Amino acid sequence: MFAQTKEFPSAPVESPPFDLLRVPVIGRLLGWRHARTALQIPALIAGIAMIAHGLFGPTLAPKNLATTVSWVHFRGALVLVLLCAGNLFCLACPFMLVRQWARRWFHPWLTWPRALRNKWLSAGLFALILFAYELFDLWSSPWWTAWLIVAYFASVLAIDGIFKHAVFCKWVCPIGQFNFVASALSPLEVKVREEGVCVTCHTKDCIRGRRDASGLVTIQRGCELALFQPAKVGNMDCTFCLECVQACPHDNVGILSRPPASELMTDPIRSGIGYFSRRPDLAALTLVFTFGALLNAFGMVSPIYALESWMARLMHVSHEAPVLGTIFIVSLVVEPVLLLGLAAWLTQVWGGSRRAMLPLIVRYAYGLVPMGFGMWLAHYSFHFLTGMLTLVPVVQNAVSPLLGEPLWRWTGLPTRVVQPLEFGFLALGLMGSLMVTHRLAVDEEGGHPSRAFVPWAAVCLLLFAASVWLILQPMEMRATFMG
Amino acid sequence: MAATLIIEHEIDPWPARVGRELVTLKLSDAAGRAVSGARVKLESDMAHPGMKPEFGDTSEVGPGRYQGRLAFTMAGDWVMLVHITLPGGQSLERQLEVKGVRAN
């Protein structure tokens, strides 16, 4: 009798993820101890130049560094880098460099109040910045833009000068919150390379940092945002500061690739965050992010002025603030509550979900992030791509006559080239949101997952339709109300 | 030459609309005398940075009266820059607001 051998197909060998820190040159640069400072110094110089030009340079926004760099180049490059890599702008944050220097003399002594350890404040500040942007037409004012940057530096110094750890980054900074939410769609994540290595690690330097032999002097910081690498999931709250990379004695932290949006599909306990599903504050932040994307674009198209005029007549007011305030409350509070409330109710009665209304809204709110990011991408990349070369004449003008006659005719790509890209970004956003909400419905709704998915798919499609409509509207930028 | 230059401007049609509009400028000195023989160039800039500026030349159509066409490529608030070179060679620039350009 012949012995029978049965051949099993060998289990697929999972190839290790791409690791940016293993890439020649770039990896060595990012792994360098002073990499962050080296990136922050040019950003700080640019920031100082923007403040100076904003306060003392030309008053015309298209000719001033403060407005051109802030509202065309910074925002556009920010979303494109988030899409293609990760939260590299927090890595190069100039505000943190100033804070770092200031902390040599000022030692924070207080801990951030427990009541403020959530995203409610930062979600409110994010909405407030969007509101101020429209009300004060920041895009047309170099002076106000410069003061906004100054206020940012002052806030960082005031808050992080008093409170320990990275309070400003984690709980306050509106730009940081934008980056945290958007980086859920990024392909890169700071992550441990091999989990087994962390199991045997006893020092936990990635979170604790390292001190000298006396135990009094910190020679290497751990994560200031309380993200413990082995239990860290996704990019939320990660500033890519790479302190953990420096701190890990086993060289076990990398910048690894992962499927974009994957962190939105699951709900494990996350270090420094907890469960997404138990964080209504975080869900509220994602809703400000998503609905704010549409609102911010709405502020730049013709129908906003007709709406404002109509509302002003209805409300018998002549100042923009109450009208704009009403539009903001409707767009960022009433509309999301109604839309998501209706979808949650349908998920209960038609999809058979046994979860209460609020937990449903909180859980699925994260699913709308890709659609919101698609709209931010479409909007900001439009300004960036159509106006990217304007930096050349603006810099020439700022330092002239050293660089010759400013080339004012230099702008960027034509609108007809950029518009298809905008639709592409929106389509990507829609696909992402549909995938995430579908996965949530399949994984988390026991009754009828397909039926549970339908209302959320409808919300995604509605946001997509609104975004397409916005992109198709004629652009109109006025610094005048009811002009 | 004129220490004080008075510039009056007119855009036709008014309110300005998207398109190439007729701009008329009247230059005079402090005493009200027309300033002839100047070179006047026009530039329109959107209030938002990152937009393409438009440029236009003018010709003198009467004593101290300069006329040219200038494009406003989208609705919204614009700023018109008037670049003037006076007969004596002195150059100056004036910034004039053109608010609420309307869509067609």
Side-chain angles (χ1 to χ4, degrees), chain A residues 59-63 67-68 72 75 133 139-140 300 383 386-387 390 408-409 411 475-480, chain B residues 43 45-53 55 74-79 81 83 93 95 99-103:
Chain A
T59 55
L60 188 55
K63 309 226 168 192
T67 34
T68 305
V72 177
R75 295 192 309 182
Y133 178 78
W139 41 270
S140 69
M300 294 259 153
H383 288 302
T386 57
T390 56
W408 291 118
R409 289 174 197 272
T411 46
M475 213 162 45
E476 180 168 350
M477 282 168 282
R478 278 199 224 161
T480 43
Chain B
E43 176 185 340
D45 287 275
M46 230 293 150
H48 194 289
M51 303 290 168
K52 187 171 177 275
F55 299 89
M74 58 183 281
D77 289 347
W78 286 80
V79 171
L81 292 179
H83 306 279
E93 185 182 287
Q95 195 169 306
K99 288 191 179 291
V101 171
R102 296 181 181 189

Side-chain angles (χ1 to χ4, degrees), chain A residues 36 40 93-101 156 160 168-169:
Chain A
R36 191 177 199 199
Q40 286 171 314
C93 176
F95 307 120
M96 285 302 109
L97 182 62
V98 173
R99 177 199 82 148
Q100 198 54 32
W101 287 339
V156 172
D160 278 4
F168 188 81
C169 299

Side-chain angles (χ1 to χ4, degrees), chain A residues 206-218:
Chain A
C206 62
I207 187 90
R208 289 182 184 152
R210 238 189 338 264
R211 289 171 182 268
D212 67 355
S214 70
L216 297 173
V217 181
T218 302

